[in-house]
Structure formats: structure tokens, C-alpha cells
Amino acid sequence: DVKVTQSSRYLVKRTGEKVFLECVQDMDHENMFWYRQDPGLGLRLIYFSYDVKMKEKGDIPEGYSVSREKKERFSLILESASTNQTSMYLCASSLLGANTEAFFGQGTRLTVV
Amino acid sequence: AQTVTQSQPEMSVQEAETVTLSCTYDTSENNYYLFWYKQPPSRQMILVIRQEAYKQQNATENRFSVNFQKAAKSFSLKISDSQLGDTAMYFCAFMNNFNKFYFGSGTKLNVKP
């Protein structure tokens, strides 16, 4: 079975902390994504990676960075967490090419206090 | 840039009845893919159905079918014989030629017994 695993289901961090959200996929997918989900706004793309060490900014990259040192792992980094980054974070992966779909992790609900 | 619009934030339907969820999108690309994803209370995103833009025939998947109108850039989801387990958030999504996925704001569907 296809699997995308996010390291934490719930996380509480303090303002100003550096936060790492980890995502691992076991499907040998080239593409990996980080989305932020907020009520009424749906899923918004933060960053996209199409290969190891390759990344592209999405629609809302400010305040975030990413790391992809290995094909199966894609990390989202909040350099200095702020309360407005309290949200649900979803990781996804997909094969490169036309006949594909996005597979999602179970989400990390991050609260910054 | 691609945008996906879901104009119905919330809908209700009686068990065994039919409901249609609306989605419109905006793109200048000619070939692309459209998806409906379901997110139940467990938060796990699940693919419901997929449509390739170059295929005129509407996709169906058991009780789920789509009405794809390419010229109107409309992609609605019809759920027949609604079941309690269909209660979830439903997201319409668009995948462009660069494998990026864009999502709408979601429709919360409540199936009533």
C-alpha cells in the first residue's frame, strides 16, 4: 500500500522556535508537496519539490523553507514560528508525469503559542 | 496561474438522495487533469475520482460521477445514493502540465440519516 507518513499528528510550539515538519514517502515518487490547510481557504501550496535538492516556491512560501536531501524525505521548516502559522499542514507526493495523482499524509496540526 | 473555485462552503443531503458539488477553474492550458478528493474527519485525504481534460467522456466511479464541461471550465461531482460515510470535506483539484496540484476551498458535505 502507498504510504506518506508525517512525523507528528499534533504539535505545539512556542513563538520564535524553529520547527521541523517531516514527511516520508515509500513510493519512490519524484514529486513532493507541502500544503497548508485553513478553514475557508482550502489547501494552499507552500513548496513543491520535483527531485532531490530541487524546490519551487508555491503560493505562500513566506516564513517557510524546505529541504529534500533524499528522494523519500521532504522537510518543511518554520525558521521562527509565529502564531499566524498555526494551521494544518499536509504533505503529499506524486509520480512525475501525466497519469498520476497526489497521495497525502495524515496531516500535522501545528499550534504556535 | 491556476485557480480553483468551490462556491458551496457547506451542503446537506438526506441519506439515499443525490447531491451535486460544484467546481470551476481557470487555466490557459489545454491539457490538464482534474480531481475530487474527500477528507473525512480522520483527516486522511482520499482520491474520489479523476478526469483527464482531453477525454470528453465523463468519469464515473461507482456512486460518484462528474460533469466535465471543458469550455465552461466546470467540473462538478455528483454523488448518488448518498451514504452516511460520505460525510466529509470535498476538495476539487487541478493538476497542471508541471505536476503542480491546486485545490479549491472545499465543500463540507453532511449526509443526514
Side-chain angles (χ1 to χ4, degrees), chain A residues 7 19 22 35 44 50 56 77-79 82 91 108 111:
Chain A
S7 54
V19 181
E22 307 285 348
Y35 289 91
R44 292 179 292 167
Y50 51 91
E56 274 188 24
I77 304 155
L78 285 66
E79 297 291 342
S82 64
C91 174
T108 296
T111 302

Side-chain angles (χ1 to χ4, degrees), chain B:
Chain B
Q2 284 83 23
T3 58
V4 179
T5 302
Q6 294 179 249
S7 57
Q8 305 150 315
E10 196 161 349
M11 295 186 75
S12 292
V13 64
Q14 291 295 135
E15 200 175 3
E17 292 189 349
T18 296
V19 64
T20 299
L21 280 56
S22 301
C23 173
T24 58
Y25 58 93
D26 188 22
T27 183
S28 57
E29 296 181 13
N30 192 47
N31 196 25
Y32 45 86
Y33 289 76
L34 296 162
F35 306 80
W36 278 97
Y37 278 86
K38 170 185 177 180
Q39 187 183 44
S42 67
R43 297 182 349 206
Q44 183 64 56
M45 293 277 276
I46 303 161
L47 178 67
V48 175
I49 200 164
R50 170 173 54 195
Q51 175 80 40
E52 298 165 48
Y54 64 87
K55 286 189 178 178
Q56 292 190 346
Q57 188 173 6
N58 289 325
T60 62
E61 205 60 56
N62 301 314
R63 297 182 295 108
F64 299 88
S65 61
V66 298
N67 183 5
F68 174 48
Q69 302 287 330
K70 190 172 184 180
K73 295 180 181 173
S74 169
F75 182 61
S76 60
L77 174 70
K78 185 170 88 170
I79 306 175
S80 304
D81 185 26
S82 296
Q83 300 176 0
L84 297 177
D86 295 334
T87 291
M89 282 289 289
Y90 286 82
F91 291 97
C92 178
F94 171 100
M95 186 187 82
N96 68 8
N97 289 325
F98 300 99
N99 280 179
K100 278 188 184 176
F101 291 81
Y102 295 88
F103 289 80
S105 54
T107 297
K108 186 176 181 181
L109 178 66
N110 185 27
V111 180
K112 297 179 178 179

Side-chain angles (χ1 to χ4, degrees), chain A:
Chain A
D1 241 6
V2 155
K3 205 160 185 184
V4 179
T5 304
Q6 294 183 228
S7 54
S8 304
R9 195 161 171 85
Y10 297 95
L11 211 52
V12 180
K13 295 292 181 180
R14 294 197 180 276
T15 302
E17 274 193 78
K18 190 168 186 175
V19 181
F20 293 85
L21 302 184
E22 307 285 348
C23 175
V24 177
Q25 50 98 359
D26 64 0
M27 298 162 283
D28 203 34
H29 284 171
E30 292 86 357
N31 300 324
M32 296 190 75
F33 309 82
W34 274 106
Y35 289 91
R36 173 176 169 158
Q37 182 180 359
D38 298 290
L41 297 177
L43 278 69
R44 292 179 292 167
L45 182 63
I46 305 172
Y47 266 99
F48 165 56
S49 171
Y50 51 91
D51 201 352
V52 174
K53 296 190 188 295
M54 306 304 286
K55 61 187 179 187
E56 274 188 24
K57 291 180 180 179
D59 297 323
I60 52 164
E62 297 79 18
Y64 304 94
S65 62
V66 289
S67 173
R68 193 160 179 207
E69 296 296 319
K70 293 185 178 181
K71 190 176 185 180
E72 66 270 19
R73 187 180 296 269
F74 192 35
S75 304
L76 180 69
I77 304 155
L78 285 66
E79 297 291 342
S80 177
S82 64
T83 54
N84 63 12
Q85 292 179 308
T86 290
S87 187
M88 171 78 76
Y89 291 88
L90 289 169
C91 174
S93 72
S94 73
L95 276 170
L96 182 68
N99 190 22
T100 189
E101 65 181 87
F103 294 87
F104 283 85
Q106 78 277 27
T108 296
R109 189 172 292 282
L110 173 68
T111 302
V112 182
V113 298

